[in-house]
Amino acid sequence: MIGKFFGGNRASMADQASGTWPLGQIVSALSRQFETVEPIGEDEGFVVYGVSDRGINFIVALVTESRNKVTEIGFLARFVGFSITELAVEQMNRNLHISVAGLEEGDDLYLLAGIDAVGAFSEEMFGLILEAWRRDLMMVLHFLSGRPSLAAAFPAARFDEARRFATNAAP
């Protein structure tokens, strides 16, 4: 499944002179952003890393042109055992930044995102992509929790001092 989703335009990316990013720098950036990053396997044309952050697990698939050159980066999170409707998935997709969510294999919810390596690698720009992925994960957790508000899905929003400090009152 991952190879079909993330490996679609490898040939066109290989033709672009600046269409690769260094694998080592990507893995280093992932390790600085998330609690745990570990290699979990390789397949033809990609390397998969298992990532855990704040109790959420997902994979990052690095589509490789060669051993150390990445042409695409894919993200995948799977949520099982949650009761969610197609309507809720449609609403969720309207609120996601870089991802798309879909129900597969019964009621399993898959969250997928993919980006092409374009231009020179910049850890700062890649960090923005990782933050967008993190926001998408938070949005999915909000929908899966069945809580009435996005603030209820954000743990810091339950902290009274944080809510008080973050208050912006109308003039």
Side-chain angles (χ1 to χ4, degrees):
M1 178 178 151
I2 293 173
K4 288 179 186 176
F5 185 77
F6 297 123
N9 67 349
R10 242 184 311 202
S12 65
M13 288 304 298
D15 294 338
Q16 295 180 9
S18 63
T20 61
W21 290 346
L23 183 129
Q25 287 182 304
I26 292 169
V27 173
S28 293
L30 287 168
S31 296
R32 281 190 282 284
Q33 286 279 337
F34 301 109
E35 291 172 1
T36 305
V37 177
E38 58 187 49
I40 60 172
E42 293 184 35
D43 201 354
E44 186 178 328
F46 60 88
V47 181
V48 179
Y49 287 84
V51 180
S52 294
D53 192 54
R54 302 174 190 156
I56 304 298
N57 299 319
F58 57 92
I59 64 106
V60 176
L62 304 176
V63 179
T64 55
E65 176 183 275
S66 65
R67 182 88 177 130
N68 59 1
K69 293 182 179 181
V70 175
T71 58
E72 294 177 69
I73 301 170
F75 301 87
L76 169 74
R78 179 178 170 218
F79 299 89
V80 298
F82 295 92
S83 178
I84 189 160
T85 65
E86 285 287 343
L87 179 60
V89 173
E90 288 176 27
Q91 292 172 335
M92 183 185 310
N93 277 320
R94 285 193 289 269
N95 290 287
L96 297 175
H97 297 83
I98 64 169
S99 307
V100 64
L103 290 174
E104 293 191 22
E105 299 174 12
D107 291 335
D108 292 357
L109 179 74
Y110 283 79
L111 182 66
L112 300 162
I115 61 160
D116 292 331
V118 177
F121 179 76
S122 163
E123 187 167 339
E124 293 79 21
M125 292 304 291
F126 185 57
L128 293 174
I129 293 165
L130 296 178
E131 282 304 314
W133 170 252
R134 188 177 268 145
R135 283 191 308 270
D136 284 355
L137 285 170
M138 188 174 76
M139 186 62 65
V140 168
L141 293 173
H142 162 65
F143 275 91
L144 293 176
S145 70
R147 298 204 170 132
S149 71
L150 181 60
F154 186 57
R158 290 179 281 206
F159 182 51
D160 288 336
E161 289 297 318
R163 275 197 321 273
R164 274 194 291 280
F165 185 84
T167 299
N168 296 286

